[in-house]
Amino acid sequence: MDKLVDLHTHSTASDGTDTPSELIEKAKNIGLSAIALTDHDCFDGLEEASKKAEEVGIELIKGVEFSTEYKHGEVHILGYWLHSNPLENPSFKKVFERLLELRNERNEKLFKKLETLGMPIDKDEVLELTGNSMICRPHLARIMVKKKYVKNINIAFSKYLGMNGVAYVPKQKFTQQEAIDILRDSNAVVSFAHPYLTPCRDEKERKELIKSLADKGIHAIETYYSMNNDKQTTQTLAYTREFNLLPSGGSDYHGTLKPNISLGSGKGRLKIHYSILEDLRKTSI
Ligand code: AMP
Ligand code: MN
Ligand code: MN
Ligand code: MN
């Protein structure tokens, strides 16, 4: 039987709907050999995931997904095998805490805007949903649906919370170089997440972005991804060869927040072989 892995998943520590323990149990039950937990801008789920992984006997790769600046939106950067907890690095801790502070300020603005629009949201209700961890826009979207302010999460984003929505408040982010340096400083393997979800204007811009990320120090590109079509996968693989990078792969599982994306298999066809993980691991040693 093929040994398969999933190197891109979210738990309730950011905007997933499974707790870290539930996620690990699910991964074990569907027969994955390894899983990376890569919550957005946050390490809160890693300890719980680590304990559970040991208990059920599955390999866990401690990871993270950072949002970084990009001229047309965001570039997402994945880090794997955080050998030392980045929060133990004082200069990183300082930047990271500042980012969290800015996120909280941004959330306060979002709460105010929604209230002005006649959609008040109780912060305690959101914190209950997050288990007192970081508040992200999908949490607000879920409460908006629960309170029947909107029909579904997509409308919450398109009308209100998304970039073109009336309640949009941008979030302060790392620069690409900051995120890559921080991860490399903690001996992580660094991968450019979902290149085809990144808002490049055209393929030329995407290629330029990949070249500049390679120059900045990434090791890999997320080649096998739920939302990719075959052409995009083939093209990404060609970029890994051209820029001497490795392929990585993952589903971007978020639980019921993205119900059409399943753990491990994405939209049904995703298959990430253990050899992908082994090649990435070699880079981290
Ligand atoms: P935040 O970090 O608070 O800006 O929230 C960003 C998260 O919102 C992303 O990681 C996505 O999971 C989620 N998101 C962004 N756009 C949408 C959308 N249109 N529908 C559902 N979730 C979205
Ligand atoms: Mn997300
Ligand atoms: Mn992402
Ligand atoms: Mn993700």
Side-chain angles (χ1 to χ4, degrees), residues 75-132:
V75 159
H76 289 187
I77 302 280
L78 293 159
Y80 296 119
W81 291 286
L82 306 165
H83 282 191
S84 52
N85 181 346
L87 290 174
E88 283 164 12
N89 170 342
S91 60
F92 173 51
K93 192 161 186 262
K94 214 168 122 194
V95 184
F96 196 72
E97 281 175 349
R98 179 71 189 134
L99 274 186
L100 278 183
E101 219 175 275
L102 289 166
R103 178 184 275 278
N104 287 336
E105 283 170 24
R106 179 253 208 161
N107 285 341
E108 291 304 323
K109 285 185 197 158
L110 271 172
F111 280 112
K112 281 217 178 83
K113 279 203 177 181
L114 290 173
E115 188 167 358
T116 314
L117 290 162
M119 296 179 285
I121 285 178
D122 180 8
K123 195 170 170 186
D124 289 338
E125 199 176 342
V126 189
L127 286 173
E128 206 172 298
L129 193 67
T130 67
N132 272 324

Side-chain angles (χ1 to χ4, degrees), residues 8 21 26 44 53 116 130 156 174 182 195 208 214 223 234 250 273 278:
H8 189 159
S21 299
K26 210 170 267 184
D44 293 353
T116 314
T130 67
F174 288 126
I182 280 165
E208 281 165 7
T223 306
T234 307
H273 290 270
E278 281 177 318

Side-chain angles (χ1 to χ4, degrees), residues 35-38 43 46-47 49-51 59-64 79-85 188-189:
I35 176 174
L37 176 59
T38 55
F43 310 100
L46 295 178
E47 205 179 303
S50 196
K51 275 194 196 130
E59 180 178 349
L60 169 78
I61 292 102
K62 292 185 182 178
V64 70
Y80 296 119
W81 291 286
L82 306 165
H83 282 191
S84 52
N85 181 346
V189 173

Side-chain angles (χ1 to χ4, degrees), residues 8-10 38 40 65 76 78 193-194 225 252-254 258:
H8 189 159
T9 70
H10 297 272
T38 55
H40 296 285
E65 179 179 21
H76 289 187
L78 293 159
H194 46 65
Y225 186 67
D252 213 353
Y253 175 77
H254 280 70
K258 299 187 180 178

Side-chain angles (χ1 to χ4, degrees), residues 9 20 81 105 122 135 147 162 173 194 202 222 239 264 269:
T9 70
W81 291 286
E105 283 170 24
D122 180 8
I135 298 176
K147 288 196 164 310
K173 295 175 275 278
H194 46 65
D202 53 28
E222 194 170 50
Y239 289 140
R269 294 193 321 141

Side-chain angles (χ1 to χ4, degrees), residues 21 24-25 27-29 49-58:
S21 299
I24 297 297
E25 269 172 357
K28 178 70 185 176
N29 288 340
S50 196
K51 275 194 196 130
K52 197 71 189 176
E54 206 164 302
E55 192 186 310
V56 304
I58 187 172

Side-chain angles (χ1 to χ4, degrees), residues 209-253:
L209 173 62
I210 291 171
K211 182 179 185 313
S212 79
L213 289 170
D215 292 342
K216 290 184 176 93
I218 61 167
H219 304 95
I221 319 177
E222 194 170 50
T223 306
Y224 306 103
Y225 186 67
S226 300
M227 313 295 279
N228 273 3
N229 60 35
D230 289 348
K231 197 174 158 212
Q232 291 167 335
T233 305
T234 307
Q235 184 58 59
T236 313
L237 205 51
Y239 289 140
T240 60
R241 296 203 181 102
E242 183 169 352
F243 298 109
N244 203 17
L245 298 166
L246 290 166
S248 75
S251 65
D252 213 353
Y253 175 77

